[in-house]
Amino acid sequence: MNDARKNAVCLRVWGDNACFTRPEMKVERVSYDVMTPSAARGILEAILWKPAIRWQVTRIDVLKPIRWESVRRNEVETVVSTRNVTTAMSSGRGELGLYIEEARQQRAGLFLRDVDYLIHACFELTDKAGHEDNHIKFAQMFRRRAEKGQCFNQPYLGCREFSAAFEPVEQEEELPVPISESRDLGWMLYDLDHLKAEPRPYFFRAMMEQGTIRVPAWDSSEVMG
């Protein structure tokens, strides 16, 4: 195995529905046309997360035509106050209840349906990696876990209620053919930088060419915050 392929993985994910929410939509949930790099990273980390590695999504293939579904559903409009929780923890008593009947509201959502993607990614070792850590070790660990369906938490397609099925694809296999469609996807959420006091969003100009979205590196000039 050459050096360029030691840390490369390929994972197929699919599901009945998906919602990769556009952050500019404040009230209604409206999905991007395709999976975002941050959602893809979240799926990879659900299968294998270690302080010693950092995932980099390099490409996303869209394997089924982009279809939409409009849904109206009930949501809870609020969460339990952090201040109430802190008070209850310090005093041993407090109001932590959330009454759904008082906080329920109906919202519309525009979701994707019947989605199927191929995630291409690699990882790099971080400064948390030990002397015994190397690319082959973690690549094999990821493949073993993916083959057995093991995960730290159930991978999902944008929203936790849209769980994702997954299977690894070996590099030697013939890859599924993406859809034969190209479109300008506009500015898309790349990921959130959690190193700041408040998470900071970063975006990139996403283009789908013959069903493939190429994802720039995190430190690329194409990624802007």
Side-chain angles (χ1 to χ4, degrees):
M1 184 180 293
N2 61 45
D3 290 342
R5 301 173 63 188
K6 284 180 181 177
N7 61 343
V9 302
C10 187
L11 186 76
R12 185 171 185 171
V13 297
W14 66 94
D16 295 333
N17 288 98
C19 182
F20 309 107
T21 307
R22 289 180 174 274
E24 65 269 29
M25 300 298 181
K26 300 297 184 183
V27 179
E28 311 295 351
R29 287 184 182 273
V30 178
S31 177
Y32 283 109
D33 295 13
V34 300
M35 171 184 281
T36 61
S38 60
R41 175 188 54 77
I43 290 174
L44 297 171
E45 289 182 345
I47 297 171
L48 179 65
W49 180 87
K50 295 286 182 183
I53 63 172
R54 180 184 300 113
W55 287 106
Q56 166 68 56
V57 177
T58 56
R59 180 178 133 196
I60 298 172
D61 292 340
V62 182
L63 304 182
K64 286 187 175 179
I66 299 170
R67 299 189 180 95
W68 297 93
E69 186 171 55
S70 181
V71 176
R72 187 170 292 276
R73 61 183 184 173
N74 295 323
E75 295 186 1
V76 177
E77 63 178 354
T78 187
V79 297
V80 176
S81 165
T82 303
R83 178 179 297 178
N84 290 352
V85 174
T86 303
T87 302
M89 290 176 64
S90 59
S91 66
R93 60 181 181 180
E95 181 60 55
L96 295 178
L98 184 65
Y99 300 98
I100 295 176
E101 295 300 330
E102 298 175 0
R104 186 170 58 190
Q105 65 178 14
Q106 199 169 59
R107 289 182 177 175
L110 187 59
F111 306 145
L112 297 166
R113 65 181 175 89
D114 193 20
V115 298
D116 196 348
Y117 303 106
L118 204 58
I119 301 172
H120 301 259
C122 61
F123 59 84
E124 60 185 26
L125 298 179
T126 70
D127 55 7
K128 300 290 195 312
H131 295 297
E132 73 284 1
D133 293 330
N134 56 64
H135 291 105
I136 295 177
K137 169 186 171 181
F138 289 113
Q140 292 180 344
M141 189 183 298
F142 176 83
R143 292 189 181 95
R144 282 198 305 271
R145 291 179 61 82
E147 286 172 355
K148 294 178 181 178
Q150 294 178 327
C151 48
F152 297 120
N153 55 272
Q154 177 62 45
Y156 56 90
L157 297 161
C159 294
R160 290 188 182 276
E161 60 263 46
F162 300 147
S163 61
F166 63 89
E167 65 177 10
V169 178
E170 295 299 327
Q171 298 179 47
E172 294 76 14
E173 294 180 21
E174 184 176 350
L175 298 180
V177 179
I179 61 174
S180 57
E181 181 181 345
S182 300
R183 68 170 73 172
D184 183 351
L185 300 171
W187 287 97
M188 174 182 284
L189 178 66
Y190 184 91
D191 213 328
L192 296 173
D193 182 359
H194 292 281
L195 297 179
K196 312 291 184 184
E198 293 291 332
R200 180 177 177 181
Y202 282 78
F203 297 85
F204 76 113
R205 189 67 187 235
M207 297 288 295
M208 182 172 70
E209 298 178 349
Q210 294 298 302
T212 293
I213 301 101
R214 299 197 178 278
V215 181
W218 173 258
D219 56 358
S220 167
S221 60
E222 298 176 55
V223 179
M224 299 181 183

